[in-house]
């Protein structure tokens, strides 16, 4: 049985099929096609919302990934590893979506930022910062976590001295109605660093002499917590070689908060008001 010309496997049929597909771009591998979205999502995981908003504004003002404005912005980023991360996004933009404007990339970043999803743990360091892993300075992360609190702040530190930015951010939290509990080691006179805070800030010391309070924790509500080696001192937050991690998984943070709240229960006779 003869088939219509369009169905033939001969030269005529091939030529007809070719005429419909000649202008289509070659298919990319799935790994390459998903690279730009993954990089934008990773940037959302790293930066706080106010910093992401700035990146979006810069992107929206650029015409393409080669725009000098964008190059200058990337070169000015002081955070370790951030400039290479942004440069990688620009390379993926150029390779995968060269016709998309900066406004389009900014919209994609804003969409990724607004999409609710679990956020991974984030590294915080003090002292010298390398580009080997995305990390942020402990002093800035501590302020950011305190600023995110809406109902309660639970802070523990073995020592405290100076740390004016942290103290000022705690005072702002108190002004917006946040309950603040400071668990401090009495033997280091850590409470003197917070003497200027309002009287209704709750300061706690450990009862008895068996051991000391050595934990370092800043927990905002029950959603975000900074754990690490750094005390609330100027040197520990910026100059010492310290390591910490920010947790944003409420299930994990809730268990931490519940443990420290249990320590404060008077019947347990572990902590007492200062």
């Amino acid at each position: 049985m003869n088939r219509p010309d369009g169905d033939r496997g001969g030269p005529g049929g091939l030529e007809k099929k070719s005429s419909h597909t000649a202008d289509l771009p070659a298919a990319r591998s799935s790994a390459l096609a998903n690279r730009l979205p993954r990089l934008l999502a990773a940037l959302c995981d790293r930066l706080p919302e106010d910093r992401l908003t700035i990146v979006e504004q810069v992107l929206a003002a650029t015409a393409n990934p080669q725009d000098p404005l964008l190059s200058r912005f990337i070169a000015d980023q002081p955070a370790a590893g951030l400039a290479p991360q942004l440069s990688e996004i620009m390379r993926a933009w150029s390779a995968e979506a060269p016709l998309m404007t900066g406004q389009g990339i900014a919209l994609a970043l804003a969409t990724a930022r607004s999409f609710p999803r679990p956020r991974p743990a984030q590294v915080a360091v003090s002292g010298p910062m390398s580009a080997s892993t995305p990390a942020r300075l402990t002093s800035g992360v501590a302020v950011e976590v305190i600023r995110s609190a809406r109902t309660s702040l639970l802070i523990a530190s073995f020592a405290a001295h100076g740390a004016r930015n942290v103290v000022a951010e705690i005072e702002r939290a108190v002004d917006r109605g946040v309950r603040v509990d400071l668990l401090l080691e009495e033997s280091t006179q850590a409470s003197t660093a917070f003497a200027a805070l309002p009287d209704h800030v709750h300061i706690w010391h450990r009862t008895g002499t068996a051991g000391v309070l050595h934990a370092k924790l800043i927990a905002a509500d029950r959603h975000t917590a900074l754990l690490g080696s750094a005390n609330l001192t100027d040197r520990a937050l910026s100059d010492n070689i310290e390591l910490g991690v920010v947790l944003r998984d409420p299930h994990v943070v809730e268990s931490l908060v519940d443990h420290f709240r249990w320590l404060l229960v008077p019947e347990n006779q572990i902590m007492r008001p200062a």
Side-chain angles (χ1 to χ4, degrees), residues 22-23 25 32 53 66 79 89 120 144 174 194 198 225 228 231 243 263 265:
D23 295 331
L32 180 61
T53 300
Q66 289 78 38
I89 291 174
E144 176 192 318
V174 173
F194 307 98
N231 286 302
L243 178 63
L263 296 176
V265 175

Side-chain angles (χ1 to χ4, degrees), residues 1-2 4 14 22 35 40-41 63 78 85 140 148-149 175-176 178 184 186 191 201 228 233 242 256 263 273:
M1 181 180 294
N2 292 333
L14 288 175
R35 187 161 159 262
L40 293 175
Q85 188 175 5
S148 71
D175 290 342
R176 63 177 181 267
V178 175
L184 305 171
E186 188 173 17
S191 60
V201 169
T233 68
E242 308 276 2
L256 289 171
L263 296 176

Side-chain angles (χ1 to χ4, degrees), residues 68-166:
L69 171 65
L70 197 52
S71 300
R72 290 194 297 270
F73 175 75
I74 293 174
D76 289 341
Q77 298 309 302
L82 182 55
Q85 188 175 5
L86 291 172
S87 296
E88 186 67 17
I89 291 174
M90 298 311 110
R91 285 192 288 271
W93 175 11
S94 181
E96 299 176 30
L99 299 182
M100 184 174 287
T101 65
Q103 287 183 328
I105 300 297
L107 179 59
L109 183 60
T111 302
R113 173 167 58 87
S114 64
F115 192 82
R117 68 190 187 281
R119 299 186 66 183
Q122 180 184 43
V123 175
V125 301
S126 301
M129 299 184 70
S130 72
S132 61
T133 183
R136 297 182 58 211
L137 195 62
T138 306
S139 56
V141 174
V143 168
E144 176 192 318
V145 173
I146 294 169
R147 190 175 294 162
S148 71
R150 293 295 174 263
T151 60
S152 65
L153 267 173
L154 198 153
I155 299 175
S157 188
F158 174 74
H161 183 268
R164 294 178 182 175
N165 290 342
V166 169

